Each structure stands twice: as C-alpha cells, then as structure tokens.
Amino acid sequence: MGRDKAFLDVAGKPLLERILDVFRASFDRIVLVGDREERFAAYDLPVVPDIYPGSSLGGLYTGLFHAATEYIFVSSCDLPFLNANILRHLCSLQDGFDAVVPSTEHGYEPLFALYAKSCLGPIKALLEAGEFCAYAWYPQVKVRYVSEEELAHINKDGRAFLNVNTPDEFARIGEDL
C-alpha cells in the first residue's frame, strides 16, 4: 500500500476508527496488536507488540496469548465495510469449536474470525517452524466454517469481507460508498 492502512480515510474516518466503532459496540475489552505503539496513542487502548513479528499469524498468536478471555474476535485493520451483524453471528457459533471462520468464494477469512485459546499450541508450532499461513493450522483444531450462503441474509451488499491491499483497491472503495 505504501502507507499505514489503519489510517486510510474512508468517508471521513480512518479505517481503524471504523473498526473500533463496531468493536466498542460489541465487546468490553479491545486490545490492539502491532508495532509502533505510538501510532495508536490517541485511542487509549492497550497495544501489545507482536511476539512473532512480520505476519498476520504472529499477530493472531499475540492477541490470543495476551487475551484475558477464552475467546477473542480478530479483525485486520483494512476492512472498510465491517459488519457488526456478521461479527455477532460468528460469535454466537462458538460453542463446541476452537475457531469460527467465514469462508467465501475467495477462501477463508482468518482475519475476521473468532478463536479460542486452544488454538495457541498449533499456531505456535507453525510459527516456530517458519510457516506463516494464517490458516494452515486449521486441520489441528475444531473449526466451524461459515459459508457465504449462511451469511447472505446479513451481508446483503456482499462488501463485508472487502479489504484494502493496494492503492487501486483503495481508490475503488470510494466508488462503493
């Protein structure tokens, strides 16, 4: 992207703030994972540095490791159309599962999903083996995959999992507002 995605402005608000609005309405505790803690000073939230820096899997591990609860919900900072109803639906499916993960035509959405602390071991083993695929460890835990069809009634515009990775994708976001 060439710049910090968390602070890209979408409809007058940085992406991070759009996500925080949904999380604050849904959860009692929010922890940010990432480097350069000073970037987030204005948000008055705990920020923990990556235990295994350099990958989203390392960020997931760090969030789980520091969690005060059995489950955490994770989101990347590049989802401009975060859907609170999908978030709540995924959380409602946790019973009996180590992870609840949306699955779309583009694949898994491991960075908008629910995870239990029981995932720490398999994630750590992968990281220590030098593997960083955000979902390669799924076969080692009990995952509830949530299909697009199951989410269609709450993802009516189909934008919930749209993320921003390139300047071109960011430019197209403005067309979707």
Side-chain angles (χ1 to χ4, degrees), residues 13-177:
K13 191 178 273 195
L15 282 173
L16 177 63
E17 288 182 26
R18 294 172 68 90
I19 293 164
L20 287 176
D21 287 347
V22 172
F23 271 50
R24 284 183 172 127
S26 303
F27 304 113
D28 293 331
R29 184 162 195 254
I30 300 169
V31 175
L32 301 175
V33 175
D35 60 351
R36 300 186 336 252
E37 178 180 351
E38 68 280 359
R39 297 181 309 157
F40 308 110
Y43 297 99
D44 195 30
L45 291 169
V47 180
V48 294
D50 279 317
I51 296 170
Y52 293 93
S55 72
S56 56
L57 185 61
L60 171 56
Y61 179 84
T62 300
L64 270 172
F65 182 84
H66 289 286
T69 57
E70 180 62 26
Y71 286 89
I72 65 168
F73 196 93
V74 301
S75 177
S76 61
C77 67
D78 61 356
L79 296 168
F81 304 112
L82 196 70
N83 185 313
N85 292 324
I86 292 175
L87 181 150
R88 285 189 285 276
H89 180 69
L90 296 175
C91 289
S92 76
L93 302 173
Q94 73 184 26
D95 289 343
F97 295 98
D98 300 303
V100 179
V101 181
S103 180
T104 70
E105 67 180 272
H106 304 292
Y108 302 129
E109 297 292 342
L111 300 180
F112 189 75
L114 182 78
Y115 296 102
K117 282 202 174 258
S118 55
C119 299
L120 280 167
I123 295 172
K124 184 175 184 177
L126 204 63
L127 288 165
E128 291 188 349
E131 297 292 329
F132 304 103
C133 177
Y135 52 83
W137 54 278
Y138 284 177
Q140 298 173 46
V141 297
K142 191 170 183 184
V143 180
R144 167 66 155 86
Y145 297 103
V146 184
S147 70
E148 279 184 294
E149 294 78 22
E150 185 176 345
L151 297 173
H153 70 288
I154 48 181
N155 187 23
K156 292 180 175 133
D157 61 9
R159 303 182 313 172
F161 302 109
L162 180 69
N163 64 4
V164 179
N165 291 310
T166 67
D168 287 341
E169 288 173 349
F170 181 62
R172 284 194 298 270
I173 293 300
E175 299 167 8
D176 289 336
L177 293 173

